[in-house]
Amino acid sequence: MRFEPVKKVNSYEIIVDQIEEGIREGRLHPGDRLPGERKLMETFSVSRPTVREAMRVLHATGVVSSRAGDPRGAEILPFTPQALERPLARMTHQHGTTRAELLQFRLLLEGQASLLAAAADPGEAKQRISACAAALDDLAHRAGAAGAGAATDLATEFGELLSGFHSSIRAASGNQLLQVTGQAVDEALTTVARQRLGEEEDVPALRARLRRSAEDAAILTQRIRDGDTGGARRTATENIYRFYKDRLSDLELKALSPLVG
Amino acid sequence: MRFEPVKKVNSYEIIVDQIEEGIREGRLHPGDRLPGERKLMETFSVSRPTVREAMRVLHATGVVSSRAGDPRGAEILPFTPQALERPLARMTHQHGTTRAELLQFRLLLEGQASLLAAAADPGEAKQRISACAAALDDLAHRAGAAGAGAATDLATEFGELLSGFHSSIRAASGNQLLQVTGQAVDEALTTVARQRLGEEEDVPALRARLRRSAEDAAILTQRIRDGDTGGARRTATENIYRFYKDRLSDLELKALSPLVG
DNA sequence: CCTCGTCAGCTGGTCAGACCAGTACAGGGA
DNA sequence: TCCCTGTACTGGTCTGACCAGCTGACGAGG
């Protein structure tokens, strides 16, 4: 006979589980309202602090939102990628995850996202990719012609457009997991690594890089529109690899190289 | 002049942020102990319920663990993949993520993990892959010869070994993000989809599938040991694809096919 | 000397009751 | 009709209390 270790279940966990189960099973939908705390303490037969601890957990994990004074009670929120970012960021910092691993994972995801996007049926999602690529191209021309604006502003706008381009590819892949995970990794990288990358860069170099990225994006877009799955994957990984090539250590590049080509 | 929207920060969030920041910046390490709640309410100048709400959040997200009566206070935990499983599972259920997407994501991750494992230097991690493949082979032979045991027991042991095999590959990839994400998706799939898959299966069919999986694992192991990155990726995806081929709808298979080969 | 049961002093878990600031909404004033 | 205000709630926070459980020290027994 086998025994099981005694696991004590705190009261708040029971409440959290019941509410999350209600959401999972479709009895509670985003936008629905939970009863007030004083009502909940009756239905669960616990005191208000216990109810509050449960609500705190649901609040902190992005399941519900509540405002003081709102007589409609806490609102059930739709899922957000942000819910994944917290643990991802924690893992990155605490678990000894290096920047190289983060980049490697990103390269891997973007490559597969491009492949799936190429395999997907043409439609609105693919048009958004083209629009994002066009916006990048537009910025590249504007920056080259006018030459106005500080380097940091240009770099920021550039980064946002590039991020949006990749986001549109992930969206076109048709896989929400890929989409959300990619977004979380993307933002984690922004937070973690941006300060050490591309800070000290003069304007001409930035413009050159911008032009190159715009061209790369155009090529990748074409591959995806052509439905060239293998080519899209290869182009996406090569683009990102080249993007980082001059600014990473040999050790970090070595981690990325197996995924290229 | 630009104004910012008023964001009300609850007291507990300040405490949570401070503790998480301490962990991020290396002032608090896993295994360290936090002061008791009554001590914390002094240092943060708040009441005990507020401290408790903060501790609840940290407890629920797997950052700390606490037991009643322990005078050493709450313990800071190391990061666990389980922290990602919660939001992943929630996303799967609530955000309309289908089983096809989950499988697609898994196929994608396992393929890339095998590629990276093949690219990695030989070492202890690769030996563990061989050991897991050998264990699968052993079970296949034992099941074929003795024929004892119920089908469910056999299926359970089979599933655990196969899961361990894939886990060892992810570990050998050298990327913790890949490892953790893969594990989370794996377990999410187990929870979500197992009841609808492989339930009604007779023993001979199960044995045949077991033998096939053991052979597949052996081939994949060889590719990884040979350092054949492309071959490892292809073999891994094909194996998983064939594993599911007879038990999924055409629509689901169509989602997987772009990743195969 | 070592082992083991006992017990005090703490811990976290839970409760009851209270006050305050903030919100929604109905009803009265313009 | 519109705006304003009051009211009756809400959640946020605090105080104070009790209980069950753990740890570690102490002392009885070997």
Side-chain angles (χ1 to χ4, degrees):
Chain A
M1 163 134 193
R2 290 185 53 181
F3 295 102
E4 294 189 356
V6 175
K7 57 174 179 182
K8 57 178 176 186
V9 178
N10 297 353
S11 311
Y12 86 93
E13 285 186 308
I14 301 176
I15 301 178
V16 169
D17 284 344
Q18 285 194 46
I19 293 178
E20 286 193 333
E21 186 184 326
I23 295 175
R24 263 203 309 275
E25 299 189 351
R27 292 195 304 271
L28 294 171
H29 307 86
D32 285 357
R33 298 286 183 158
L34 253 37
E37 293 181 356
R38 291 161 234 266
K39 194 79 187 173
L40 285 176
M41 61 186 274
E42 289 178 16
T43 63
F44 288 112
S45 295
V46 292
S47 68
R48 198 151 93 91
T50 304
V51 169
R52 300 206 88 253
E53 290 180 1
M55 298 310 288
R56 274 282 95 95
V57 171
L58 294 171
H59 180 88
T61 51
V63 179
V64 305
S65 85
S66 55
R67 291 178 322 170
D70 192 337
R72 290 172 303 184
E75 179 182 1
I76 298 191
L77 296 176
F79 181 84
T80 310
Q82 193 189 341
L84 275 176
E85 278 167 37
R86 275 267 186 169
L88 266 184
R90 198 175 147 244
M91 173 173 147
T92 306
H93 285 102
Q94 182 180 348
H95 204 246
T97 307
T98 62
R99 190 177 64 181
E101 287 177 51
L102 218 43
L103 287 167
Q104 193 183 48
F105 196 59
R106 177 169 177 235
L107 195 67
L108 173 170
L109 289 179
E110 300 289 355
Q112 300 290 65
S114 300
L115 185 153
L116 288 174
D121 297 327
E124 189 187 345
K126 285 202 177 184
Q127 299 218 337
R128 259 207 63 211
I129 299 178
S130 301
C132 290
L136 265 175
D137 191 63
D138 184 53
L139 178 65
H141 280 93
R142 268 194 296 136
T152 51
D153 287 355
L154 187 60
T156 302
E157 193 176 351
F158 171 53
E160 283 172 6
L161 283 178
L162 199 57
S163 169
F165 174 66
H166 286 126
S167 177
S168 69
I169 292 178
R170 288 193 294 266
S173 76
N175 192 311
Q176 304 203 38
L177 274 161
L178 189 52
Q179 196 174 344
V180 168
T181 314
Q183 176 119 0
V185 171
D186 215 18
E187 303 202 6
L189 254 175
T190 304
T191 313
V192 175
R194 179 150 292 181
Q195 58 263 42
R196 294 197 182 169
L197 289 176
E199 272 289 10
E200 311 281 331
E201 200 172 26
D202 55 350
V203 179
L206 184 61
R207 280 191 201 141
R209 199 148 59 79
L210 212 171
R211 268 197 301 278
R212 224 178 309 133
S213 287
E215 288 169 20
D216 286 348
I219 296 173
L220 177 54
T221 305
Q222 195 54 47
R223 297 258 189 288
I224 291 175
R225 298 182 73 162
D226 291 344
D228 177 5
T229 55
R233 203 200 91 249
R234 215 175 315 116
T235 305
T237 50
E238 283 172 1
N239 286 357
I240 299 180
Y241 184 78
R242 264 191 295 142
F243 182 82
Y244 287 119
K245 200 171 70 177
D246 302 327
R247 300 184 291 164
L248 295 179
S249 67
D250 289 347
L251 196 76
E252 289 175 317
L253 285 177
K254 196 177 158 227
L256 299 184
S257 55
L259 295 166
V260 179
Chain B
M1 161 134 193
R2 291 185 55 184
F3 295 102
E4 293 190 355
V6 175
K7 56 173 177 180
K8 57 176 176 185
V9 178
N10 298 354
S11 312
Y12 86 94
E13 285 185 308
I14 301 175
I15 300 178
V16 169
D17 284 345
Q18 285 194 45
I19 292 178
E20 286 193 334
E21 187 185 325
I23 295 175
R24 262 203 309 276
E25 299 188 350
R27 292 195 305 271
L28 294 171
H29 308 86
D32 285 357
R33 297 287 183 159
L34 253 39
E37 292 181 355
R38 291 161 234 264
K39 195 78 188 174
L40 285 175
M41 61 185 276
E42 289 179 15
T43 64
F44 288 111
S45 295
V46 292
S47 67
R48 198 152 93 92
T50 304
V51 170
R52 300 206 87 254
E53 289 180 1
M55 298 309 289
R56 276 281 94 98
V57 172
L58 294 172
H59 180 88
T61 51
V63 180
V64 305
S65 85
S66 55
R67 291 178 321 169
D70 192 339
R72 290 172 304 184
E75 179 182 0
I76 298 191
L77 296 176
F79 183 84
T80 308
Q82 193 188 340
L84 276 176
E85 279 166 38
R86 275 266 186 170
L88 267 183
R90 197 174 150 244
M91 173 173 147
T92 306
H93 286 102
Q94 181 180 348
H95 204 245
T97 306
T98 61
R99 189 177 64 180
E101 286 178 53
L102 218 43
L103 287 168
Q104 193 183 50
F105 197 58
R106 174 164 180 238
L107 195 65
L108 173 170
L109 289 179
E110 300 288 355
Q112 300 290 64
S114 300
L115 186 152
L116 288 173
D121 297 326
E124 189 188 346
K126 284 202 177 182
Q127 299 218 338
R128 259 206 65 209
I129 299 178
S130 301
C132 289
L136 266 175
D137 191 61
D138 184 52
L139 179 65
H141 279 94
R142 269 195 294 136
T152 50
D153 288 354
L154 187 60
T156 304
E157 193 176 352
F158 171 52
E160 284 173 5
L161 283 179
L162 198 57
S163 170
F165 174 67
H166 287 126
S167 177
S168 68
I169 292 178
R170 289 192 295 266
S173 76
N175 192 311
Q176 303 202 38
L177 274 160
L178 189 51
Q179 195 175 344
V180 168
T181 314
Q183 176 119 3
V185 172
D186 214 18
E187 302 202 7
L189 255 174
T190 304
T191 312
V192 175
R194 179 151 291 183
Q195 59 263 39
R196 293 196 184 171
L197 290 176
E199 273 288 13
E200 312 279 332
E201 200 172 27
D202 54 352
V203 180
L206 184 60
R207 279 191 200 143
R209 198 148 59 79
L210 212 171
R211 268 199 299 280
R212 224 179 309 131
S213 287
E215 288 169 19
D216 287 349
I219 297 173
L220 177 55
T221 305
Q222 195 55 46
R223 296 257 189 288
I224 292 175
R225 298 183 72 162
D226 291 344
D228 178 7
T229 55
R233 203 199 91 251
R234 216 175 313 117
T235 305
T237 50
E238 284 173 1
N239 286 357
I240 299 179
Y241 184 78
R242 263 190 296 142
F243 182 83
Y244 287 119
K245 200 171 72 177
D246 302 328
R247 301 185 288 164
L248 295 179
S249 68
D250 289 347
L251 197 74
E252 289 175 316
L253 286 177
K254 194 175 159 231
L256 300 184
S257 55
L259 296 166
V260 178

